[in-house]
Amino acid sequence: MTAHGRASSYKDGCRCSDCRTANRLYQADANARRAAHPDGADRAGHGKRSTYANYRCRCDACRAANSAACREYRERRRTQ
């Protein structure tokens, strides 16, 4: 039986409100930890949308990657 109210339970597939809340808090904490250490962006590699989003890197290469990803997303939405 899976314990509820844990991020690990959400990752195992439970979508009850307690597990969703626990996962949201876990992800918010992980995002804050990544943003607090901008040197992690150097390890992750610049010029990727994930570095822009996860590490809040705003260098030219990461901005360009994010812009390209947004354009591609909008284009996909238009063709659907």
Side-chain angles (χ1 to χ4, degrees):
M1 183 169 179
T2 303
H4 292 281
R6 301 173 63 179
S8 60
S9 298
Y10 181 87
K11 291 176 185 176
D12 287 340
C14 182
R15 296 299 185 258
C16 73
S17 62
D18 290 341
C19 292
R20 289 161 56 117
T21 299
N23 187 63
R24 182 182 50 78
L25 294 173
Y26 173 81
Q27 292 300 327
D29 184 51
N31 290 342
R33 281 193 314 266
R34 282 192 297 269
H37 299 287
D39 58 326
D42 294 333
R43 287 191 305 275
H46 291 281
K48 297 188 273 185
R49 187 197 185 290
S50 60
T51 304
Y52 180 93
N54 295 334
Y55 294 95
R56 297 181 181 143
C57 179
R58 298 302 185 255
C59 72
D60 290 339
C62 291
R63 283 179 189 236
N66 185 63
S67 294
C70 289
R71 274 192 304 275
E72 290 170 10
Y73 173 76
R74 284 191 301 268
E75 188 60 33
R76 278 195 314 268
R77 296 278 301 196
R78 275 189 219 127
T79 59
Q80 289 180 350

